Amino acid sequence: MEPSIRCFTEHTHAVRCVQVWGSFLFTGSNDSTICIWDLHTGVVVQRFVGHTAAVTALHFWKGSGRSMLFSSSMDRT
């Protein structure tokens, strides 16, 4: 079986970091945004805007009844 290749094209600049959790893909980009993608459909389910420089790292954490997405950026936040 051939592997399928899917292009995720929501970001306007290069993607610098990714995190997968379950059926979701989290991406951080040079466009200062974070997107959460549904891996089954390839559709962005949420987009976060707030950093003022490239997003350089992501970490998803789930525990004790809550979930959190941590990000770091070249804007030092």
Side-chain angles (χ1 to χ4, degrees):
M1 180 179 190
E2 291 284 323
S4 63
I5 296 175
R6 177 170 288 170
C7 293
F8 296 89
T9 59
E10 186 72 22
H11 289 292
T12 59
H13 291 80
V15 172
R16 294 182 60 108
C17 52
V18 299
Q19 173 79 44
V20 176
W21 185 79
S23 63
F24 295 101
L25 173 68
F26 303 85
T27 56
S29 173
N30 282 349
D31 65 11
S32 307
T33 66
I34 298 166
C35 290
I36 302 176
W37 307 80
D38 180 316
L39 284 173
H40 298 295
T41 64
V43 173
V44 171
V45 294
Q46 189 158 1
R47 181 180 181 99
F48 294 97
V49 179
H51 284 296
T52 58
V55 178
T56 56
L58 296 171
H59 179 74
F60 182 78
W61 176 82
K62 183 169 176 72
S64 42
R66 64 188 293 190
S67 307
M68 298 178 83
L69 178 64
F70 297 92
S71 63
S72 64
S73 169
M74 294 297 287
D75 65 11
R76 296 193 236 174
T77 63

